[in-house]
Amino acid sequence: MKRTLVTLHVNGATWEVAVRPHDTLALALRDGCGLTGTKIGCDMGTCGCCTVLVDGRPVLSCLTLALEAEGARIETIEGLAGAERLHPVQRAFAECGGSQCGYCTPGFVMTSVALLRDNAAPSREEIKAAIAGNLCRCTGYAKIVDAVEHAAADLRAASTGATPPTGGRGDSGGDQDDAGIHGRRQPAAARR
Amino acid sequence: MTQEFTVVGSRLPLVDSWRKVTGQAVYGDDLRFPNTLLCRLVRSTVPHARIVRVDTSRAEAMPGVRAVVTGKDASARFGVLPISQDEEALAIEKVRYVGDIVAAVAADDEATAAAAAAAVEVVYERLPEYFETGPGLAPVAEPIHAWTVDGSNTQKRVEQHFGDMDAALDAAAVKPKAHFDFIGVGHQFTEPHSVTAVPEADGRMSLYTPTQVPHYVHRALAKVLEVPMHRVRVFRTAVGGGFGGKSDPFPHEMAVCLLARKVQRPVRLTFDREEVFLTNRGRHPGTYDVQIAFDADGRMLGLDARAVIDGGAFASFGVVTTYYNGVLSQGPYKIPNFRYEGARVYTNKAPCGAMRGHGAVNARYAIESVIDMAARELRRDPIDLRLQNVLDPYSKTTNEFRITSNGIRECLERVRDESGWTAKWGKLPFGKGIGVAAGFFISGSALPIHQTRTPQSTVHLKIDVDGGITAHSMGAEIGQGSDTVIAIAVAEVLGVPLDFVRVRSEDSDTAPLDLGAYSSRGCFMIGNAAREAALVIREKLARAAARLTGRDASEFAFANATLSIDGDRPVSVSYFEALTEALADNGALLAKGWYQAPRMGGTYKGAGAGLAPAYSFNACVAEVDVDVETGLVRCTRMTLAHDCGRALNRLAVEGQIEGCMHMGLGQALLEEMRYERGRITNPNLLDYKILGPFETPEMRVIVVESEDREGPFGAKEAGEGPLIPVLPALGNALYDAVGYRSHELPVRPAKVFQHLQTLRKGGATPAKTWETNGR
């Protein structure tokens, strides 16, 4: 099948990738750019493993055509860390136990990064609403919510120059149950 | 026993988590080898049929197609258990379920492979199809396999009797019994299976696969390829979740190797989600009938159980599952009289196998539900009744399981105290309820699958001039933290920071044998092997420090990367000084540690099933909120206490327990593999529901540490056991809420609704009348 060159701006670099009309952004990132940090868990928009940021918004790259992403600013898990070894969200997912098998982790991390850019101090319910389009089969989500909370605190502290809280990292418990109340939906990452 | 630890018991990030949060971890489909072909499979479209003809000529003639293999290319059967090797790389004579692999195609790209797979023509002669276990217990027209019991579809029958069950029932004051139905559920890890076969230049075959059991894959590959084991190499990629679903050697692993051998190029195959469902190996559907006898004082007199489990098309771990449904009912209580009959029946559906809490989960739901019924008949608090009957530490069960450390009593007491049980049980308003259940699980199967004298786990350590400690193991890190267990054990013994240790647990060429990640064996067995190996290194370093200081080697303490002696004449040698001395005229320090379970157990038939060097224990309290208008059941809060011996890594233990609650609740409330005439009708994560963050309740984790005498630093398993009491605790809470006993899983809101309608008949406002019956 004839391929078309698509220009993708990924993590600050520009790629020209030859794609078929139906190739997904997930496939283009993994096979075209060699960025295999973006995972494919279902290839039908149900699990959120493939979440990347397109112009700052979390998007399911398995439901986005590569051609649709022409010219857009794409961020993947590989592009998060700057001069630091790790982005605070990445660090928090490791330190709080938010990652076990790790396959869903890039998707959760990208979703969380987008959330924290919009909302510097999300409640646990707001965090749950943001990650509601991502499935994790290992953690039961508690430590993922912990991780996002801690990352938020770290990011706030970094922006004010204060020392981030260190104690109690990874403690779960205390999340108020209020199932059924979904906060804001992530446009492309929602499911069900 | 009070010990001071520096690393053990901390809250530590998993050592491989840094690779995972950065996207650097390499899972099955992340590998890229030059010149790789892509594979697609031809799968059976019918449930049961004789293969008349497989015509690959059209497929082979397509441009870009490099090889096609069929059942003609491999004749050896394999399977995870040596006693039930009934799987074929590609179906040879018959297909046995929709999804059975008939042919495999390797082509230049995936689209070509898929088109070629579609062009393979298979002619079937349909055979009688069997979707239910019932008819398969008796002789059938066309048994699914040739080696079933007496021409039936029954693969395995188990009978065990201890004591006098009939006398126990005669003597009983209360003896509730019930029948339960369970639907099959699957692991649904997020990473679909993905494998690459690489034919090496020296003629060997390498298989890269996200597996929990590299050693069993290694054995099966050698058998199917008909080469000695040393001509095969298995490389475990990062594993995106297992839960028992990647603990078999698989036909598709064999198929890609056959293709790669034929075409002498690397071949990669990545499943779509539907193929994950078709590969299955999930929890067996089945029925469980159980009756439990109690005397008037609440003492458990006996347990009488019968299980019929639906194995699907192949054996997998099924013989073990058939035993576990019985033998793992022998605790956590003292049960003097016991009778169990189990049968596993083949059906023309995707094969079932081992899933988290293997063989114990559905049985435990039934048993703990019936204990709840007994408590009400006896007018006893369900926690008190359980406490009265629990096994003692360092005791024996009736079927001669050796019980070592046992924190069941503390588990029950703490879930009672920390959930507010006493103020809530039977006292919550209609629609709200609280329930309890207990459980236990093996901490590693004491008997290896293959009866050899080779240790079940071996760990090698190497330290060279850089001071870093490389640990080699074939223990399969699948996200549960087994690499971290190795690092913790080594760092603790040698008194160095965790990041001095790097674990290499991928490659069968470099790693010593380990049986893999199943039966909750990792922490106990690999942890012990790693600790033993580290003790050998410690001795070498201590002798070097003794040479440097003139002091006795046995006096040195290891902490903060320093070997030191306190007291009147304190000395201190840095880890690096000691290492440099130890390396002199000697070279890299090498050490080996291994673990093999001690001999134990009875001598009766089947005595080996369920034997473990230690058992974990747990208790769970669930709280539910039932929508009395719709029957919808929501779990609002869960408190779970788990005796893991000692938490080597508290963060990881909590993570395992929370994951168990999540997965157990999923089976209790939502999950089911639905079939229609042998076809899975919901093979995707939209129609097969797993819990999202909003459906997962508030989770309270209580870590109980009973300090096992044989466990590494006292540790036992925490990865599977905590799932087991979750489901019955939910079921018992539902009963407390609205008086509805769910005799099936998942709980059907429609049936709860019907029950609520019945209560409302006559216009009465529903009230907890069943509670006063039980007081």
Side-chain angles (χ1 to χ4, degrees):
Chain A
M1 192 177 290
K2 194 161 160 44
R3 288 172 186 261
T4 312
L5 274 187
V6 60
T7 304
L8 300 176
H9 302 293
V10 188
N11 304 329
T14 299
W15 293 80
E16 292 211 321
V17 182
V19 298
R20 295 165 298 182
H22 59 274
D23 280 348
T24 63
L25 177 58
L27 198 67
L29 289 170
R30 290 176 55 81
D31 280 357
C33 308
L35 296 171
T36 54
T38 298
K39 304 301 178 197
I40 298 174
C42 68
D43 217 17
M44 59 180 288
T46 58
C47 74
C49 289
C50 66
T51 306
V52 299
L53 305 189
V54 175
D55 291 332
R57 282 179 25 199
V59 158
L60 297 173
S61 63
C62 79
L63 291 188
T64 306
L65 294 176
L67 291 170
E68 288 181 273
E70 168 83 39
R73 189 169 54 83
I74 299 160
E75 294 167 81
T76 72
I77 189 79
E78 290 92 343
L80 279 186
E84 298 289 322
R85 190 168 65 90
L86 295 169
H87 185 281
V89 173
Q90 292 174 309
R91 180 180 299 283
F93 267 73
E95 290 184 349
C96 296
S99 173
Q100 286 184 26
C101 87
Y103 198 77
C104 71
T105 303
F108 271 99
V109 168
M110 298 314 292
T111 305
S112 305
V113 166
L115 167 73
L116 297 182
R117 283 182 192 161
D118 283 357
N119 182 349
S123 67
R124 289 182 79 85
E125 290 309 296
E126 287 173 320
I127 295 168
K128 285 187 194 175
I131 62 172
N134 295 69
L135 291 180
C136 171
R137 194 57 160 164
C138 296
T139 62
Y141 305 102
K143 295 202 183 314
I144 290 176
V145 178
D146 292 347
V148 180
E149 268 192 324
H150 278 92
D154 287 351
L155 283 162
R156 286 196 305 274
S159 67
T160 61
T163 313
T166 51
R169 173 144 289 185
D171 282 341
S172 58
D175 64 331
Q176 293 303 304
D177 183 79
D178 196 8
I181 299 172
H182 289 252
R184 70 195 189 89
R185 275 159 87 95
Q186 293 300 321
R191 64 180 189 107
R192 291 183 181 172
Chain B
M1 183 168 80
T2 312
Q3 277 176 275
E4 291 292 320
F5 295 112
T6 55
V7 185
V8 164
S10 314
R11 306 179 68 82
L12 301 164
L14 299 177
V15 293
D16 53 337
S17 62
W18 307 108
R19 289 198 293 276
K20 290 174 174 174
V21 299
T22 52
Q24 287 176 12
V26 178
Y27 297 86
D29 191 51
D30 299 337
L31 280 163
R32 296 292 182 269
F33 293 91
N35 210 24
T36 297
L37 299 171
L38 276 296
C39 171
R40 291 310 293 162
L41 302 172
V42 180
R43 292 179 178 276
S44 173
T45 53
V46 296
H48 197 195
R50 206 170 306 289
I51 300 170
V52 177
R53 195 174 70 246
V54 182
D55 184 351
T56 59
S57 56
R58 267 181 60 218
E60 282 169 312
M62 291 169 74
V65 173
R66 304 298 168 182
V68 182
V69 291
T70 68
K72 291 200 178 89
D73 290 272
S75 59
R77 292 202 176 88
F78 66 95
V80 68
L81 303 184
I83 45 172
S84 55
Q85 308 241 321
D86 64 358
E87 298 197 55
E88 294 153 356
L90 302 127
I92 294 173
E93 189 193 325
K94 291 211 303 187
V95 290
R96 295 176 170 88
Y97 77 101
V98 174
D100 222 353
I101 302 171
V102 179
V105 178
D108 291 348
D109 60 73
E110 195 162 8
T112 306
V120 171
E121 191 194 343
V122 188
V123 179
Y124 296 109
E125 176 195 329
R126 299 286 287 266
L127 294 169
E129 294 159 3
Y130 306 99
F131 304 127
E132 306 294 332
T133 54
L137 290 165
V140 292
E142 173 69 31
I144 294 169
H145 288 279
W147 43 82
T148 51
V149 178
D150 300 332
S152 69
N153 274 331
T154 309
Q155 181 212 342
K156 176 72 183 173
R157 279 184 187 280
V158 171
E159 285 188 30
Q160 290 196 339
H161 301 244
F162 297 97
D164 187 340
M165 190 63 221
D166 289 325
L169 287 169
D170 288 343
V174 302
K175 45 186 170 186
K177 65 188 284 190
H179 171 87
F180 296 87
D181 285 294
F182 300 97
I183 290 224
V185 294
H187 322 81
Q188 296 314 330
F189 32 75
T190 45
E191 182 207 20
H193 310 72
S194 177
V195 298
T196 305
V198 181
E200 306 287 357
D202 62 4
R204 298 175 74 217
M205 180 63 68
S206 293
L207 177 70
Y208 295 77
T209 179
T211 181
Q212 299 177 235
V213 288
H215 179 63
Y216 299 136
V217 173
H218 195 163
R219 280 180 181 256
L221 262 183
K223 187 178 180 195
V224 171
L225 296 175
E226 298 183 63
V227 296
M229 276 178 77
H230 72 266
R231 302 298 289 165
V232 174
R233 169 173 171 240
V234 176
F235 187 100
R236 179 192 57 77
T237 65
V239 182
F243 315 112
K246 293 170 180 167
S247 62
D248 288 69
F250 287 116
H252 69 267
E253 293 173 321
M254 312 297 138
V256 290
C257 289
L258 291 167
L259 282 169
R261 181 163 74 177
K262 196 165 181 174
V263 74
Q264 286 301 307
R265 288 171 64 178
V267 177
R268 183 168 89 235
L269 168 65
T270 298
F271 279 1
D272 60 31
R273 183 53 59 175
E274 181 169 355
E275 291 180 291
V276 175
F277 277 87
L278 292 173
T279 305
N280 192 23
R281 320 294 160 137
R283 200 178 311 292
H284 289 63
T287 60
Y288 205 82
D289 288 275
V290 61
Q291 181 168 27
I292 307 178
F294 289 86
D295 70 13
D297 296 329
R299 200 167 61 92
M300 207 181 274
L301 301 179
L303 189 151
D304 194 2
R306 183 168 188 272
V308 179
I309 58 173
D310 178 348
F314 293 100
S316 183
F317 278 93
V319 170
V320 177
T321 322
T322 315
Y323 273 110
Y324 278 7
N325 266 274
V327 298
L328 295 183
S329 301
Q330 290 250 345
Y333 311 108
K334 294 173 197 157
I335 304 173
N337 302 288
F338 179 81
R339 179 163 59 201
Y340 170 67
E341 291 176 16
R344 184 181 194 263
V345 181
Y346 285 122
T347 57
N348 295 117
K349 294 186 291 191
C352 298
M355 181 169 162
R356 203 173 200 175
H358 184 195
V361 173
N362 294 347
R364 183 57 48 192
Y365 180 84
I367 290 164
E368 297 292 319
S369 296
V370 170
I371 292 174
D372 201 60
M373 291 159 67
R376 287 167 199 280
E377 283 190 50
L378 287 161
R379 295 167 184 264
R380 291 281 301 276
D381 178 302
I383 292 183
D384 282 350
L385 182 64
R386 284 174 171 83
L387 280 169
Q388 178 185 349
N389 284 287
V390 293
L391 287 162
D392 296 318
Y394 298 93
S395 63
K396 233 178 203 182
T397 64
T398 302
N399 63 339
E400 299 179 66
F401 286 172
R402 186 194 72 155
I403 301 298
T404 57
S405 60
N406 177 356
I408 184 69
R409 193 166 287 282
E410 184 180 342
C411 289
L412 280 162
E413 288 169 353
R414 288 189 64 186
V415 294
R416 179 189 63 201
D417 298 344
E418 296 181 33
S419 68
W421 170 270
T422 311
K424 291 176 182 168
W425 182 67
K427 296 168 187 149
L428 296 171
F430 184 81
K432 293 188 192 301
I434 188 167
V436 68
F440 81 117
F441 200 62
I442 54 174
S443 189
S445 177
L447 292 188
I449 286 176
H450 296 266
Q451 304 268 346
T452 75
R453 289 171 57 203
T454 310
Q456 288 142 306
S457 192
T458 301
V459 171
H460 290 172
L461 298 179
K462 182 220 77 171
I463 316 181
D464 215 325
V465 288
D466 65 314
I469 305 157
T470 306
H472 292 283
S473 162
M474 209 64 223
E477 171 62 59
I478 61 169
Q480 87 284 38
S482 64
D483 279 1
T484 307
V485 163
I486 293 172
I488 289 172
V490 172
E492 180 66 48
V493 169
L494 298 181
V496 294
L498 199 62
D499 64 5
F500 276 38
V501 188
R502 56 240 172 166
V503 182
R504 295 286 174 269
S505 59
E506 302 94 6
D507 191 341
S508 68
D509 276 3
T510 54
L513 191 147
D514 187 276
L515 297 182
Y518 68 96
S519 83
S520 270
R521 55 179 295 287
C523 173
F524 200 94
M525 297 191 182
I526 304 169
N528 267 321
R531 185 175 167 275
E532 290 298 320
L535 285 169
V536 175
I537 296 285
R538 183 180 161 118
E539 178 64 24
K540 291 174 194 276
L541 292 172
R543 280 201 304 249
R547 286 197 295 277
L548 291 172
T549 58
R551 302 289 290 271
D552 192 318
S554 65
E555 291 182 74
F556 285 95
F558 286 63
N560 306 317
T562 307
L563 289 65
S564 59
I565 301 172
D566 287 344
D568 301 341
R569 295 186 301 135
V571 294
S572 154
V573 178
S574 83
Y575 165 79
F576 286 98
E577 288 169 331
L579 177 63
T580 303
E581 170 64 20
L583 294 172
D585 305 322
N586 180 48
L589 301 189
L590 302 175
K592 175 177 75 181
W594 52 270
Y595 179 81
Q596 189 153 24
R599 282 180 170 277
M600 60 181 79
T603 54
Y604 58 90
K605 184 170 162 51
L611 283 181
Y615 296 87
S616 70
F617 293 86
N618 45 50
C620 179
V621 165
E623 293 168 63
V624 300
D625 193 343
V626 179
D627 184 329
V628 294
E629 300 303 323
T630 64
L632 204 65
V633 181
R634 196 162 62 87
C635 181
T636 54
R637 195 159 178 262
M638 190 159 268
T639 309
L640 198 150
H642 181 75
D643 164 24
C644 66
R646 180 184 299 285
L648 297 184
N649 178 0
R650 203 161 263 273
L651 191 66
V653 167
E654 287 174 5
Q656 288 301 308
I657 295 173
E658 288 166 354
C660 279
M661 289 196 252
H662 166 261
M663 196 175 273
L665 265 181
Q667 185 186 347
L669 291 175
L670 281 180
E671 295 182 30
E672 56 176 320
M673 286 179 69
R674 287 196 292 266
Y675 280 90
E676 208 173 293
R677 293 207 60 75
R679 280 179 173 70
I680 303 172
T681 60
N682 60 339
N684 61 70
L685 296 175
L686 191 64
D687 298 312
Y688 183 101
K689 306 275 189 205
I690 75 174
L691 300 183
F694 278 110
E695 294 96 20
T696 305
E698 179 191 343
M699 300 185 286
R700 298 279 160 107
V701 172
I702 301 164
V703 177
V704 170
E705 298 186 302
S706 59
E707 297 182 17
D708 194 80
R709 287 175 198 162
E710 295 176 26
F713 311 99
K716 303 187 286 191
E717 76 91 30
E720 298 192 71
L723 187 145
I724 294 168
V726 167
L727 300 83
L730 185 283
N732 292 339
L734 172 60
Y735 188 86
D736 184 54
V738 296
Y740 174 75
R741 174 77 58 199
S742 185
H743 289 260
E744 64 184 322
L745 289 181
V747 170
R748 303 286 178 192
K751 292 196 179 169
V752 179
F753 175 76
Q754 277 172 10
H755 167 81
L756 291 165
Q757 292 292 91
T758 312
L759 287 184
R760 284 202 187 88
K761 270 188 190 146
T765 309
K768 287 192 168 181
T769 49
W770 59 93
E771 282 309 333
T772 49
N773 290 343
R775 294 293 155 85

